[in-house]
Amino acid sequence: MASRVASSDSFKHFEFDATPKHLSSSSSVPSKFNFTNDRTAFTPDSLPIIDFSALVTGDPHQRSKAVHDLATACRDWGFFILVNHGVPESLMEAMFRVVKEFFSLADSEKKQYEAKSASDPIKCGNFNVANTSNQSFTLWRDYLKLYVHPTFHCPHKPKPLWDVVQEYTLITRELALELIKAVCEALELNQRYVDETLKMESSFQMFATNYYPRCPHPDQAIGIPSHTDPGLFTFLIHNGVAGLQIEHNGKWFNANSPQNSILVNAADQLEIFTNGRCKSVKHRAVLNEEKDRISIVVANGPSGEAVLGPAEALVEKDGRAKYCAMKYEEYLESQLTKSRVDGKSILEQQMICSTN
Ligand code: OGA
Ligand code: NI
């Protein structure tokens, strides 16, 4: 879910014959993909790991340790690896099987899911153009994006896609809710206030799958450049091929993960709601020469109706709100249509500078 780089024209590109998939076996990268890109990154000694089962255990001691670890991970990294999450391995495998099938449909068939407008609930494409403040280039990936909650949208082909996406997004929505509750507990926020503000029963959830074909010159193109995500927590799983990098203390790190874990990053609305205590981490998807990579991403937001600013109790503690409030629907809208103003992301536009 690109937030900091999304552009108004980023949804509507579907071209035939020379898609990244077709180009992956050629020896050069056409210039329209060219993106000045240093994909070097450190491999961290360790990344925060959160044991989901400890969060939902009946044992208060285990829970309070897990709640504390979660808040620390969100503060220090804005990122963690979720283990013992209870998503069946068979469901994850089914997800990859069916999205692979989707990506291998004929282009003519996929084209019917091309978006007609930026806010179309089903969007599919290749060749979408991204803009950073000083570059415009084509991303080396094919994708499918769906709005799945509060209303579920999904292509009817391949046949199992509907059921599998529905099951996976329901289960990840429940996980996201538990994580949000735990973060709020760590910050001593009143649960009723949280329920009323975030309105999670009608949470806005997006599903995306990205297909990054292998690239003959991975240093000359990019899957998704550095960005933050718009929601509260984004969940990512991949087909065993590494490629996600996250920024930490000004340096890039490879976010490698154990089999069957879920990579979770804190996103813009969580940073805003917690008045900056949780960091919406910058991340990017880099390419490699050998293997095709597929990621499956679920962005869990508050309700589109939620007007989100920093939680009052935290503003009181901090003496000031560091962000201004905005309806989430409008936030998404401006991300899709306006994106950058004076080179600033929507999150940066919402930041209120300290006058001291
Ligand atoms: C995204 C994203 C990274 C990846 O879809 O927002 O950051 O590794 N994807 O696919
Ligand atoms: Ni992202």
Side-chain angles (χ1 to χ4, degrees), residues 1-2 141 145 208 210 212 224 227-229 234 236 238 243-245 265 283-286 293-297:
M1 306 293 127
R141 63 142 193 194
K145 278 187 190 167
N210 302 301
Y212 308 102
I224 307 181
H227 67 282
T228 59
D229 293 340
T234 306
L236 182 144
H238 57 76
L244 178 69
Q245 297 182 338
N265 68 268
H283 55 283
R284 64 188 183 190
V286 300
R293 174 167 182 264
I294 293 178
S295 66
I296 291 171
V297 177

Side-chain angles (χ1 to χ4, degrees), residues 150-172:
T151 312
F152 185 76
H153 301 270
C154 186
H156 287 278
K157 266 193 193 169
K159 210 162 176 298
L161 187 68
W162 181 287
D163 285 346
V164 177
V165 172
Q166 198 162 46
E167 194 181 342
Y168 183 68
T169 51
L170 170 64
I171 200 164
T172 45

